[in-house]
Amino acid sequence: MTQPIEDYALIGDLMTSGLVGRDGSIDWLCLPRFDSAACFARLLGDEENGHWRIAPLGAADGERCTRRAYVDGSLVLESYWETETGTVKVIDFMPQRDVAPDVVRIVEGISGSVRMLSTLRLRFDYGHVVPWVRRSDGDRVAVAGPDSAWFRSEPPVRTWGEDNSTRSQFPVTAGRRVAFVLTWHPSHEPRPEPTDPFEALESSLSDWREWSAPCRYEGPYREAVTRSLITLKALTYAPTGGIVAAATTSLPEELGGVRNWDYRYCWLRDATLTLGSLLTTGFLDEARAWREWLLRAVAGAPADLQIMYGIAGERRIPESELPWLRGYASSAPVRVGNAAVDQLQLDVYGEVMDSLHLARSAGLPAEAHSWRIQLALLDFLEQNWNRPDEGLWEVRGPRRHFVHSKVMAWVAADRAVRTLEDDPSLPGEPDRWRAMRDAVHRDVCANGFDPERNTFTQYYGSRELDAATLLIPRVGFLPPDDPRVTGTVDAVRAELGRSGLVRRYSTADTDDGLPGDEGAFLACSFWLADALHLTGRKDEARALFERLLSVRNDVGLLAEEYDPVSGRQLGNFPQAFSHVGLVNTALTLAGMEKRTTEAG
């Protein structure tokens, strides 16, 4: 059975993550990194592609736990099962690792007596490879090629092999705890030291609470903001500071459709929005690490700037398909890698300049080479901003003169001017960048605005609209009270609205190279709330924000999109862009936003 996307909760160790369903099954887990091949891929196939379920004995396939929640301020998940004979709690988490990644699952009796069943079905290489499993000193070890995983329980429980899976059956009574630990390591290396699951639980709770405690946000909706910040932290690859766009690949934007992409990489355009939310809420170490990842990633020839990179800054992300996986809800193909890495998206130059300007303005110590990199980016953009590109939505149709790309070219020049005005000791030519800024502004207003409908359009000469134009007042291209801004907000709301939320563009009217449709885009819906607030419609902005909060699942997580008709979340999950949008809109409503809203 295919569980709804919103039935999943995230666990992770700041290097990778897994998804736990409400039925007690971990259906997605990539080891040892976010972008590694999954060893549990049931999410995109079936149970034979790997999963690990712990539930009361006799619980039917798809039967869900009674309730669940994260322990406050942490990524430790507690799921409760109430049965006729008693109640149990399953605690799921991944401790921040010393060497090897661990998945820890602790079953704790609350009342009565309940017999539990654990079914572990390891399948390496995205559910394609069945490992050889053997006993070793009372534990189980599974090996296939470069991968191996050790599985043990504490205290030991009865375990046996059946149907190419490892099963364990045991009773729990009130106060009794049985823990399972699954540890991955390269098969050619010695077994890592076993993890004490109960000590790991205490240290994980301590680590997460210590991290989340300094959050400076004390405004309305603090619980939602904190949970989103924890989610963003969980999507961070700790060794480099890179933040993946989502924990998954190929969760569809339309059930049964082909709009299925791999989001386990780092997008440059996420930098500005992520950096702003981290800086404003007090997480300076994370903001600094993200900025340093950004500087390493973009180093090199400006013409070679990519829209995305691997979590350590890798440039090659070749896209391929996995034909043995049927896809979530039969939404094929399943893709790994992302061919959009080769697209020309000129807006990323503006986003890089904006994020580095924001970091400097917030007081992060500047790196000596940072400004030289920015000058090189500006030199390239000055000669290329008037080219057509694929735009921020990575359309696989023809290149266009996308309005948002041009606006972000304006942002690049504007932030250069502001940086030089703030620090005249830096090398640079402010008059040169002012001239570029003015030229881009005139070009956009002349060619990207439809005076008949009083709205900015998706690209020059088109009648189609684009929700990205909602960012025009937020980045300072025009002031919020400009009639062209309010007209654009009204037009986007009317033409791209779907049950109160917003699509990023009309798939029927825009040639994006793909068949089918998609849901309302959650980040764009947060942008609409921001725009409503900035243009003075504060009650409407708050109402929309609260509507968006209601879209979150029971543990506060958001996917990329939402279908208001079916009430289903769509797209990769959890989505960093959606959670950044939530945090930034909460900051906007509370008057704490870092982004500029002044016209340049």
Side-chain angles (χ1 to χ4, degrees):
M1 295 179 62
T2 299
Q3 296 190 71
I5 292 170
E6 59 270 19
D7 269 11
Y8 286 99
L10 181 74
I11 57 173
D13 65 359
L14 306 186
M15 293 192 201
T16 191
S17 60
L19 295 183
V20 186
R22 294 186 69 176
D23 66 349
S25 179
I26 301 177
D27 288 348
W28 182 253
L29 178 66
C30 299
L31 295 173
R33 305 192 339 170
F34 289 105
D35 55 355
S36 298
C39 63
F40 298 147
R42 182 189 186 192
L43 179 71
L44 301 178
D46 57 34
E47 64 179 18
E48 286 302 319
N49 297 121
H51 72 112
W52 180 11
R53 187 185 190 201
I54 296 180
L57 181 66
D61 186 24
E63 185 175 341
R64 306 194 298 180
C65 65
T66 308
R67 66 185 188 279
R68 62 178 183 170
Y70 287 113
V71 178
D72 286 346
S74 80
L75 202 68
V76 176
L77 180 70
E78 295 183 334
S79 303
Y80 289 83
W81 295 82
E82 296 176 0
T83 74
E84 293 180 355
T85 61
T87 299
V88 297
K89 174 173 65 176
V90 179
I91 305 169
D92 291 315
F93 65 100
M94 295 182 69
Q96 295 179 29
R97 69 180 82 164
D98 293 322
V99 178
D102 298 302
V103 179
V104 180
R105 314 193 73 181
I106 299 174
V107 184
E108 180 178 342
I110 303 300
S111 65
S113 177
V114 182
R115 291 200 68 83
M116 301 292 291
L117 175 66
S118 166
T119 301
L120 172 67
R121 188 173 275 111
L122 277 165
R123 298 291 186 269
F124 295 119
D125 192 23
Y126 296 104
H128 191 51
V129 177
V130 180
W132 182 264
V133 181
R134 59 181 173 82
R135 289 186 180 273
S136 177
D137 298 326
D139 299 338
R140 299 267 179 166
V141 58
V143 178
D147 299 293
S148 67
W150 290 81
F151 178 68
R152 66 187 184 89
S153 62
E154 188 175 321
V157 298
R158 176 173 173 257
T159 300
W160 71 98
E162 180 182 330
D163 295 333
N164 285 325
S165 64
T166 300
R167 299 182 186 270
S168 306
Q169 189 179 131
F170 54 97
V172 287
T173 54
R176 186 186 184 215
R177 295 195 296 179
V178 175
F180 295 89
V181 182
L182 179 69
T183 304
W184 179 94
H185 74 109
S187 59
H188 65 277
E189 294 182 358
R191 176 186 183 179
E193 286 296 317
T195 296
D196 183 312
F198 305 110
E199 289 183 2
L201 174 59
E202 296 306 315
S203 64
S204 290
L205 288 170
S206 175
D207 288 343
W208 278 107
R209 286 167 173 164
E210 181 180 353
W211 180 82
S212 59
C215 179
R216 288 204 301 248
Y217 182 77
E218 297 293 343
Y221 317 108
R222 190 177 193 278
E223 177 275 330
V225 170
T226 301
R227 177 51 51 195
S228 288
L229 289 167
I230 290 172
T231 303
L232 291 173
K233 177 66 173 177
L235 295 174
T236 301
Y237 185 64
T240 66
I243 301 176
V244 297
T248 58
T249 179
S250 299
L251 289 182
E253 297 169 9
E254 178 184 38
L255 295 180
V258 300
R259 297 170 181 263
N260 318 317
W261 316 109
D262 194 347
Y263 278 8
R264 297 170 299 156
Y265 307 107
C266 304
W267 268 253
L268 292 189
R269 72 172 46 88
D270 295 5
T272 301
L273 296 172
T274 303
L275 199 65
S277 60
L278 292 173
L279 287 168
T280 309
T281 52
F283 295 100
L284 299 185
D285 288 343
E286 284 69 25
R288 186 179 297 108
W290 181 220
R291 183 195 62 180
E292 300 316 311
W293 176 89
L294 177 65
L295 286 171
R296 292 192 303 270
V298 304
D304 296 332
L305 186 71
Q306 298 183 177
I307 65 165
M308 74 179 84
Y309 295 85
I311 54 180
E314 297 92 345
R315 288 175 171 264
R316 293 186 66 250
I317 310 175
E319 183 178 300
S320 60
E321 298 179 3
L322 307 182
W324 61 87
L325 292 174
R326 67 185 182 190
Y328 178 87
S330 299
S331 305
V334 170
R335 297 181 174 96
V336 295
N338 199 311
V341 70
D342 297 320
Q343 290 188 351
L344 175 66
Q345 297 180 18
L346 292 170
D347 64 296
V348 297
Y349 291 85
E351 278 130 9
V352 170
M353 291 294 296
D354 195 15
S355 61
L356 295 176
H357 173 74
L358 178 62
R360 183 185 293 271
S361 301
L364 287 186
E367 293 286 347
H369 64 287
S370 171
W371 182 242
R372 291 195 297 273
I373 291 174
Q374 292 175 78
L375 288 177
L377 295 176
L378 279 165
D379 286 341
F380 174 84
L381 190 59
E382 183 184 35
Q383 302 300 318
N384 291 275
W385 68 263
N386 56 359
R387 293 172 58 188
D389 69 346
E390 276 90 0
L392 85 163
W393 301 130
E394 300 167 11
V395 297
R396 300 198 177 195
R399 287 183 175 180
R400 308 281 194 184
H401 288 281
F402 285 101
V403 169
H404 177 262
S405 296
K406 310 301 186 191
V407 168
M408 294 310 296
W410 177 92
V411 168
D414 178 74
R415 301 319 186 247
V417 170
R418 292 183 183 216
T419 299
L420 290 169
E421 289 174 345
D422 292 341
D423 187 356
S425 68
L426 291 171
E429 304 172 67
D431 289 342
R432 176 184 173 188
W433 307 127
R434 286 191 188 97
M436 173 184 165
R437 180 178 67 180
D438 293 344
V440 177
H441 202 280
R442 287 193 300 270
D443 195 64
V444 171
C445 293
N447 298 300
F449 183 74
D450 182 347
E452 179 183 332
R453 291 185 295 157
N454 191 34
T455 181
F456 284 95
T457 59
Q458 185 179 48
Y459 56 89
Y460 288 4
S462 73
R463 291 186 60 82
E464 289 83 23
L465 300 184
D466 190 331
T469 56
L470 294 170
L471 294 172
I472 284 174
R474 188 177 180 91
V475 300
F477 185 83
L478 288 172
D481 59 357
D482 189 292
R484 292 167 292 184
V485 170
T486 54
T488 298
V489 173
D490 291 340
V492 168
R493 196 179 189 186
E495 295 188 28
L496 298 183
R498 178 175 289 178
S499 300
L501 305 181
V502 178
R503 296 170 294 163
R504 49 185 175 176
Y505 57 84
S506 169
T507 55
D509 297 329
T510 298
D511 180 8
D512 61 6
L514 296 165
D517 199 3
E518 61 181 36
F521 203 81
L522 294 175
C524 295
S525 300
F526 285 113
W527 295 347
L528 175 59
D530 294 338
L532 289 170
H533 180 87
L534 293 173
T535 55
R537 289 171 277 187
K538 297 184 178 181
D539 290 342
E540 294 176 61
R542 188 171 298 277
L544 176 55
F545 183 67
E546 292 179 352
R547 167 78 193 287
L548 286 162
L549 291 184
S550 72
V551 170
R552 298 177 303 153
N553 73 356
D554 59 314
V555 290
L557 300 181
L558 289 168
E560 180 183 28
E561 300 181 3
Y562 182 73
D563 180 0
V565 176
S566 66
R568 294 280 299 271
Q569 293 199 30
L570 298 170
N572 284 305
F573 176 88
Q575 178 81 4
F577 217 20
S578 299
H579 285 280
V580 170
L582 187 156
V583 173
N584 285 340
T585 300
L587 295 174
T588 297
L589 296 179
M592 295 175 61
E593 70 273 15
K594 278 283 186 186
R595 298 292 301 278
T596 179
T597 57
E598 301 173 1

